């Protein structure tokens, strides 16, 4: 039985973490499915609840910056700079793990991923539990991450002990993951903390090329699995507004039961549409919600308007292209 509570009763959820249970909690990125990172049975319960392969490691969430020194035995200069600048927030840092970190949470790797969320409910849960909280996104493996309570309940009701209702997640996409365990810092997953911002702090940072490719040998184990996929079949259409609309207009005239994810308010009379917003920050906040909305409305084929913009646009592109299985039409070509 899953109990849905609000932050008022957070102590119950903290107690649940302490005794090895599972709690879904809000963060500023997406909802997380948490358990005590030092308790292997509790960690196995996370993998089971998500249906997640056990070779995909989990992020360890902390409420105190100093805790990075307990989880990692090699907090190097690059790590320190990132932590100083971006903790708490939407950045996950991968460092060499310390001996206290076990093999279940890291899926056998010698590195550990650490994040300090800024969401006050998340911070309070970690603090009150007295634990480090391991938490993947709170979706069933393969589905878009949940950003609103309803989508958490759809995936996790009956599979976890507690769900804390924290309203809607501000950012809507998962944290930026940066690996600083090697000589050259590398972005393994783009997010709200952008390449441009990171480059100001670590000028030699690179972007792992699996981010925008269909197949590769990814360094972040999670990126090799199908991700962010709604039931609907998604195609992304990229280019100038005018050309994108022409292409989609043609497609919908010959495609039964389709819908359109518009950007900056495109209009397609007669088909189900939802708008991703007026800029990439809004697109990020709306993307996962919208993908699930198409499924809820029985839409089987989705055309997504997209424009290549920088900043958080890279994270949107990464998630959107993956959700489309890299089916992309370049409307300006
Ligand atoms: O915003 C977020 O990061 C959310 C919230 C809940 O904090 N969490 C999240 O976790 O997105 P998850 O498990 O869905 O994604 C974590 C990603 C996966 O792709 C995983 O493979 C990668 O981080 N990862 C974790 N530990 C790693 C490690 N030691 N080395 C490389 N990649 C790692
Ligand atoms: Mg995930």
């Amino acid at each position: 039985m899953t109990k849905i509570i609000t932050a008022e009763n957070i102590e119950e959820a903290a107690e649940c973490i302490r005794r090895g249970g599972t709690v879904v909690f809000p963060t500023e990125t997406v909802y997380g499915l948490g358990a005590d990172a030092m308790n292997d049975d509790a960690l196995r319960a996370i993998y089971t609840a998500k249906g997640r392969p056990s070779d995909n490691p989990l992020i360890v969430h902390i409420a105190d910056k100093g805790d990075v020194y307990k989880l990692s035995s090699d907090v190097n200069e690059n790590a320190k700079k990132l932590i100083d600048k971006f903790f708490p927030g939407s950045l996950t840092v991968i460092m060499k793990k310390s001996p206290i970190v076990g093999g279940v949470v890291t899926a056998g790797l010698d590195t550990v991923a650490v994040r300090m969320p800024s969401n006050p409910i998340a911070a309070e849960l970690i603090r009150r539990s007295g634990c480090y909280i391991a938490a993947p996104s709170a979706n069933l493996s393969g589905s878009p991450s949940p950003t609103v309570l309803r989508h958490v309940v759809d995936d996790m009701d009956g599979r976890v002990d507690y769900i804390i209702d924290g309203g809607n997640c501000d950012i809507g996409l998962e944290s930026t993951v940066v690996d600083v365990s090697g000589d050259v810092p590398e972005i393994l997953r783009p997010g709200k903390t952008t390449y441009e911002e990171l480059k100001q702090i670590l000028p030699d940072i690179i972007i792992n090329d699996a981010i925008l490719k269909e197949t590769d040998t990814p360094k972040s184990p999670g990126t090799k699995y199908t991700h962010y996929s709604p039931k609907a079949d998604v195609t992304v259409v990229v280019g100038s507004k005018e050309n994108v609309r022409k292409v989609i207009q043609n497609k919908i005239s010959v495609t039964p039961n389709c819908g359109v994810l518009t950007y900056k308010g495109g209009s397609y009379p007669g088909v189900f549409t939802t708008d991703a917003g007026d800029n990439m920050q809004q697109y990020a906040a709306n993307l996962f919600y919208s993908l699930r909305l198409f499924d809820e409305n029985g839409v089987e084929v989705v055309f997504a308007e997209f424009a290549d913009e920088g900043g958080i646009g890279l994270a949107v592109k990464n998630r959107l292209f993956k959700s489309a299985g890299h089916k992309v039409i370049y409307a300006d070509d």
Side-chain angles (χ1 to χ4, degrees):
M1 253 278 287
T2 300
K3 196 167 170 191
I4 302 176
I5 60 171
T6 62
E8 241 169 73
N9 298 318
I10 199 163
E11 185 52 37
E12 269 184 58
E15 164 63 23
C16 174
I17 296 277
R18 275 197 294 277
R19 52 158 218 271
T22 47
V23 174
V24 174
F25 61 97
T27 86
E28 67 276 24
T29 57
V30 299
Y31 274 88
L33 162 50
D36 177 0
M38 300 288 137
N39 178 334
D40 286 350
D41 287 334
L43 294 168
R44 285 188 199 100
I46 291 180
Y47 285 101
T48 305
K50 269 186 76 87
R52 177 170 178 143
S54 59
D55 65 346
N56 190 359
L58 306 175
I59 296 171
V60 180
H61 296 71
I62 59 174
D64 180 342
K65 275 192 199 186
D67 286 344
V68 291
Y69 293 91
K70 294 175 186 147
L71 295 167
S72 171
S73 44
D74 180 25
V75 185
N76 59 28
E77 284 309 308
N78 286 342
K80 279 186 194 149
K81 285 182 190 158
L82 292 185
I83 289 160
D84 271 0
K85 175 80 182 165
F86 297 110
F87 276 26
S90 60
L91 179 73
T92 295
V93 177
I94 295 179
M95 297 163 287
K96 288 270 179 293
K97 76 174 194 70
S98 75
I100 68 160
V101 180
V104 178
V105 72
T106 63
L109 299 175
D110 64 354
T111 51
V112 62
V114 183
R115 175 159 110 82
M116 181 176 175
S118 64
N119 177 296
I121 299 176
E124 182 73 8
L125 179 69
I126 301 165
R127 230 176 269 123
R128 283 196 187 224
S129 71
C131 299
Y132 307 120
I133 298 187
S137 49
N139 50 284
L140 290 171
S141 193
S143 294
S145 301
T147 56
V148 302
L149 181 73
R150 184 172 92 241
H151 292 160
V152 170
V153 172
D154 285 349
D155 279 20
M156 288 299 150
D157 195 21
R159 305 180 78 93
V160 295
D161 297 316
Y162 279 88
I163 295 173
I164 306 176
D165 178 1
N168 301 352
C169 301
D170 293 338
I171 296 171
L173 298 179
E174 309 85 348
S175 62
T176 307
V177 177
V178 175
D179 185 351
V180 292
S181 69
D183 292 337
V184 180
E186 188 172 16
I187 299 174
L188 302 186
R189 182 175 73 183
K192 164 90 185 336
T193 306
T194 62
Y195 170 68
E196 293 84 350
E197 286 175 281
L198 289 161
K199 206 166 165 62
Q200 290 194 352
I201 308 296
L202 304 180
D204 57 338
I205 196 163
I206 58 171
I207 305 180
N208 184 275
D209 38 59
I211 281 177
L212 293 174
K213 278 195 201 146
E214 191 166 3
T215 49
D216 214 310
T217 316
K219 263 180 100 176
S220 189
T223 53
K224 75 175 179 252
Y225 298 105
T226 315
H227 257 78
Y228 319 119
S229 309
K231 291 187 202 80
D233 183 66
V234 180
T235 298
V236 185
V237 186
V238 188
S240 68
K241 220 167 169 168
E242 206 190 36
N243 290 342
V244 162
R245 288 180 185 163
K246 262 189 223 147
V247 168
I248 295 181
Q249 223 24 281
N250 286 336
K251 289 281 176 192
I252 61 180
S253 64
V254 294
T255 312
N257 205 7
C258 63
V260 182
L261 179 58
T262 59
Y263 180 45
K264 301 181 181 171
S267 153
Y268 300 91
V271 300
F272 182 90
T273 65
T274 181
D275 194 56
D278 290 330
N279 55 50
M280 280 296 147
Q281 191 141 329
Q282 290 175 6
Y283 207 131
N286 289 320
L287 176 61
F288 288 154
Y289 176 83
S290 304
L291 291 176
R292 285 177 179 254
L293 197 64
F294 286 112
D295 285 348
E296 288 168 351
N297 284 277
V299 174
E300 288 170 1
V301 178
V302 172
F303 298 102
E305 297 187 351
F306 185 73
D308 232 330
E309 296 167 16
I312 196 175
L314 179 65
V316 174
K317 186 175 183 179
N318 166 253
R319 308 306 195 281
L320 182 61
F321 279 33
K322 280 187 180 225
S323 75
H326 293 270
K327 284 194 300 298
V328 181
I329 298 172
Y330 292 91
D332 296 337
D333 289 357

